[in-house]
Amino acid sequence: MKSSTSQDVAKKAGVSVATVSRVLNGSPLVTESVQHKVLHAVKELNYQPNRTAQRLRAGRSQVIGLIISDIQNPFFTAVVRGIEDVAYRDGYSLILCNSDEDPEKEKLYINVMRSEEVAGVILASASEAAPQVDDLITYNIPVVAVDRQIADKQIDSVLAANIEGAREAVAYLIKLGHRHIGFVGLPLTHTPGKERYEGYSLALREHNLKLSTDLVCIADAKQQGGYEHTRDLLANQPHITALFVANNLMTLGALNAIRERGLKIPDEISVIGFDDMPWASLLQPPLTAVAQPTYELGQRAAELLLGRLKERNKPAVLEHLPTQLIVRGSTGKPRPE
């Protein structure tokens, strides 16, 4: 079946093709009765405007590129929703890509964004270096970093307050009386990994506790990595009375390792995870967690990008959105020595 054209719409509505274009582009110069005729004809004919042609005529794209690092992580589901809501409100569509923490895959998708001439890109990069971002900047495509800062690039960035969130979590464990606190951390090659480790270390220093590398392990941000590293950490350091885990998926793995070892939470070991997920309150016992403003991170990233499209030359901004420690049943006083 042949697709309808703007000429078909114009003929059915009894107006010119130029008037059809004005109506579809929201021109205020068209009367309400004419708008009604044109939109009725569009609906009757099931007319779909040629967005590529519209973009070429307007000289701009209405598409935003979004590259996230792990589509399987529920954290990014909420981030993407925040971005999509703001983009949709302002008439933009999204191209969503998943780098799977692979810089080479990320580079491929950045090339796709450039070739598609997207209006801008929101990026949760696989690494802080991300040299391929220079390709977008060279082609005057604005970039906003979300969740992870990109080093040595003058671009807008919005992150959670990772240092403060981790510091508050560990300080709470210390306040309960814990002195042997294990840390299952993220890779130190991107911002959340570095900053959550920094917050863990800061809390220990502030309470005159020695930072022991024996109590620290760095996993791969996945559930299996959290399980394996927690299993090994508890086997090698049985005096640990509390565990701080740096992301949601690794927390699930850590809980599996703890139960496999037969330890009772919180009687024998306390647990805090970074990132409060819907399932956290359903666990037995419910999980104490650092809640991130996930939806707001996406929302703010999209707002920064749309603002950048309107004002290209303003200074780049770095924003940190606050976290909140949600205390539940997985934390308590340490077991007697």
Side-chain angles (χ1 to χ4, degrees):
M1 182 177 176
K2 183 180 177 181
S3 298
S4 299
T5 66
S6 58
Q7 288 85 355
D8 296 328
V9 174
K11 183 177 180 180
K12 188 171 184 65
V15 299
S16 68
V17 173
T19 299
V20 172
S21 178
R22 291 190 190 100
V23 171
L24 296 179
N25 285 293
S27 171
L29 303 177
V30 184
T31 65
E32 188 174 339
S33 62
V34 171
Q35 287 180 21
H36 179 76
K37 288 180 182 179
V38 170
L39 294 176
H40 181 74
V42 167
K43 184 176 181 180
E44 287 281 306
L45 296 171
N46 194 28
Y47 172 63
Q48 301 292 327
N50 187 326
R51 297 301 181 191
T52 301
Q54 286 183 344
R55 176 177 62 81
L56 291 172
R57 287 193 297 270
R60 59 187 174 86
S61 170
Q62 291 295 113
V63 176
I64 291 172
L66 172 58
I67 306 174
I68 60 175
S69 55
D70 185 2
I71 202 168
Q72 291 184 312
N73 190 329
F75 164 82
F76 284 109
T77 304
V79 172
V80 171
R81 180 58 188 269
I83 293 169
E84 195 273 339
D85 282 352
V86 173
Y88 177 80
R89 181 194 69 196
D90 282 42
Y92 286 83
S93 301
L94 291 182
I95 297 176
L96 173 62
C97 300
N98 171 48
S99 71
D100 203 28
E101 302 285 6
D102 183 347
E104 286 302 313
K105 197 174 180 182
E106 180 177 295
K107 182 177 181 180
L108 170 67
Y109 286 136
I110 283 178
N111 289 335
V112 169
M113 301 300 179
R114 192 184 69 188
S115 64
E116 291 292 329
E117 297 182 333
V118 296
V121 173
I122 297 174
L123 174 64
S125 183
S127 71
E128 275 200 347
Q132 57 273 18
V133 168
D134 289 332
D135 294 340
L136 296 173
I137 296 171
T138 299
Y139 281 83
N140 201 31
I141 298 175
V143 182
V144 171
V146 63
D147 183 52
R148 302 167 179 197
Q149 198 170 5
I150 299 174
D152 303 321
K153 302 288 188 295
Q154 293 300 308
I155 61 174
D156 298 317
S157 306
V158 57
L159 317 169
N162 293 297
I163 296 174
E164 179 55 28
R167 188 200 67 79
E168 184 181 9
V170 177
Y172 176 71
L173 291 171
I174 296 171
K175 181 180 177 181
L176 289 173
H178 294 279
R179 296 296 179 266
H180 306 293
I181 302 169
F183 177 61
V184 182
L186 294 161
L188 304 181
T189 53
H190 53 63
T191 314
K194 290 201 308 185
E195 291 189 342
R196 291 170 199 176
Y197 177 69
E198 184 176 344
Y200 166 80
S201 305
L202 178 61
L204 296 178
R205 290 199 305 271
E206 288 177 342
H207 292 84
N208 299 315
L209 294 177
K210 181 181 178 182
L211 173 62
S212 172
T213 56
D214 292 338
L215 301 181
V216 174
C217 58
I218 304 300
D220 61 359
K222 306 285 187 179
Q223 183 171 340
Q224 185 64 23
Y227 164 75
E228 292 174 355
H229 283 78
T230 301
R231 178 196 61 197
D232 295 344
L233 187 63
L234 295 177
N236 295 325
Q237 306 294 329
H239 58 292
I240 287 176
T241 62
L243 197 65
F244 175 51
V245 190
N247 90 337
N248 51 11
L249 295 180
M250 292 195 307
T251 300
L252 284 174
L255 292 172
N256 286 337
I258 289 169
R259 292 197 175 104
E260 186 179 273
R261 193 167 178 82
L263 296 175
K264 294 181 180 180
I265 301 172
D267 298 341
E268 296 176 290
I269 188 167
S270 289
V271 181
I272 297 181
F274 202 106
D275 206 9
D276 187 38
M277 304 306 296
W279 44 257
S281 61
L282 304 177
L283 297 173
Q284 291 299 325
L287 179 70
T288 297
V290 179
Q292 296 193 77
T294 47
Y295 179 87
E296 291 78 7
L297 283 169
Q299 187 179 46
R300 189 63 190 130
E303 290 170 351
L304 287 172
L305 182 60
L306 295 178
R308 180 62 58 186
L309 290 171
K310 296 173 184 175
E311 191 176 349
R312 301 269 180 156
N313 296 322
K314 63 181 179 180
V317 299
L318 169 61
E319 297 185 5
H320 289 88
L321 303 188
T323 60
Q324 181 183 6
L325 180 64
I326 309 295
V327 176
R328 299 192 181 97
S330 67
T331 46
K333 292 184 179 299
R335 63 182 183 264
E337 295 190 14

